[in-house]
Amino acid sequence: MAETIAIEKELDSALKMPEQVNVSINTRRNIQWKIFNAIRYVLPYPRKIVNYLGIKSALLAHNPKHKFFPFKLGVEASSRCNLKCPLCPRTANTARPTGDMDYEPYTKLIDTMAPYLFQVRFHNLGEPTLNPRLPDMITYAHRKGMYTNFHTNGHYLTEKLASDLIDSGLDEVNIALDGLSEDVYRKYRVNGSAERVKKGISDFCRIKKEKKSRSPRINIQFLVMSHNEHEIPELHDFAAAAGVDWVFLKPVNIMIGVDTGNKEYLPSNSKYSRYNTENETIELSKKYKCTITFSEVIVNWDGSISLCACDDPESGIIKGNVFKDGIKKVLSEEEFVKARAKSLKMGYDMCRYCIDAKCSV
């Protein structure tokens, strides 16, 4: 016990805000962050470790019929969104029902999955901060011993919400900022405001510092596109001044949304692209296997299941409803096992241009 306290104190000192923002995940500070969270969310839970090793062994054996449970849970806190980003599946599917996940069925889901979960993320195809009970949802998962995070477009990060999120025990937040000037930002984040997001980021970092809290880790995610890549240096300057922990430069997926296949979004710097566009066709420059259905289950706001963020729950790939049938029953059905096997081989049409699959299994 004394050794654990000593390690936490040492990490507490090491995890103070850096003078300059980090731009790489392969840093000493990131390793320290992982060790710190392993102490909190992994080592105390041997049952979770056994389940995790079972998942890994099933992956190595290419066995979709395994009896283990995903160690990550995607919770769609809300399917509503205030923006109309042209390369977002949410924008393309205007017929999809919208709503916020209710708190009571959410807590029952967490109670069922708690023995297996390392992490809960609270986003899918909507803006999670539109759910007024988001801080309560995070608090519940945090108290159950799970790493918590979510992705947001940042428009509703008021000072009160920022304070509530810090108090909830939130571990990490990724805030989308795809442009520093209004003209550049609004070219993709339609109906949005760069200044509003930047103020929310700065306020969040300030309040975190005032509370002397080491969490959440506050990241900026920047989708690199042709119209905004020139603002990357300015992005780093802003992030450092605001006190952001990390900046992630993410390649854009041009094969989803209402503007599917538009090469004009691709940046001139090829290191920020995952596509080979030398010929008339658009192809992935490198292909991997997808392991998402082994490691994570995504539950939408209404209890339906999605294979991944690109899978429309109305497509019928996964039938059943977690809130009505129970998560264990849905995951044990033959159709889910078949879907897991097919997705591992990137067998769905939506898999052809996926830039998020990274496993070489």
Side-chain angles (χ1 to χ4, degrees), residues 51-275:
N51 181 73
Y52 172 82
L53 294 175
I55 290 288
K56 290 299 182 181
S57 64
L59 267 173
L60 290 173
H62 290 205
N63 175 23
K65 296 182 180 181
H66 66 82
K67 301 299 182 181
F68 299 97
F69 291 92
F71 51 87
K72 295 181 183 179
L73 173 65
V75 169
E76 187 178 59
S78 178
S79 66
R80 299 182 292 138
C81 191
N82 55 305
L83 302 183
K84 299 292 183 183
C85 306
L87 295 177
C88 175
R90 177 71 189 81
T91 304
N93 189 358
T94 56
R96 184 190 176 194
T98 59
D100 299 340
M101 183 175 287
D102 291 332
Y103 186 73
E104 294 305 323
Y106 159 77
T107 58
K108 292 180 180 178
L109 173 64
I110 291 296
D111 290 343
T112 303
M113 297 295 291
Y116 316 103
L117 293 178
F118 287 135
Q119 176 182 338
V120 182
R121 64 173 177 85
F122 295 87
H123 63 275
N124 189 28
L125 296 183
E127 171 50 46
T129 57
L130 287 172
N131 188 323
R133 300 213 64 178
L134 178 63
D136 296 329
M137 298 169 77
I138 294 170
T139 297
Y140 195 83
H142 177 72
R143 289 176 178 172
K144 292 283 184 175
M146 302 166 200
Y147 188 90
T148 55
N149 70 303
F150 68 88
H151 180 90
T152 174
N153 62 44
H155 282 79
Y156 299 100
L157 291 177
T158 62
E159 292 189 14
K160 182 182 185 309
L161 180 57
S163 180
D164 289 345
L165 289 172
I166 294 169
D167 293 342
S168 73
L170 176 67
D171 293 291
E172 185 172 13
V173 59
N174 292 332
I175 305 169
L177 182 63
D178 306 319
L180 280 296
S181 61
E182 291 294 350
D183 289 344
V184 170
Y185 179 84
R186 289 176 179 173
K187 185 174 179 61
Y188 183 74
R189 298 288 174 177
V190 179
N191 298 334
S193 167
E195 290 304 315
R196 181 172 175 175
V197 177
K198 287 191 288 185
K199 183 180 186 304
I201 293 171
S202 297
D203 288 345
F204 205 157
C205 293
R206 172 180 54 78
I207 294 169
K208 174 186 169 183
K209 187 174 182 179
E210 289 172 353
K211 286 178 174 287
K212 298 181 180 179
S213 176
R214 69 182 138 202
S215 61
R217 188 169 83 165
I218 300 174
N219 310 321
I220 289 178
Q221 178 182 289
F222 187 90
L223 280 179
V224 183
M225 295 172 277
S226 58
H227 65 273
N228 69 3
E229 59 185 318
H230 67 283
E231 289 194 335
I232 291 176
E234 186 179 348
L235 170 72
H236 291 319
D237 291 341
F238 166 76
V244 167
D245 293 295
W246 251 264
V247 168
F248 296 113
L249 304 178
K250 183 177 179 180
V252 65
N253 187 341
I254 65 171
M255 299 309 295
I256 53 178
V258 295
D259 213 4
T260 296
N262 190 337
K263 298 180 184 179
E264 293 183 3
Y265 287 100
L266 295 179
S268 59
N269 192 331
S270 60
K271 79 175 183 178
Y272 297 125
S273 175
R274 294 292 182 268
Y275 297 101

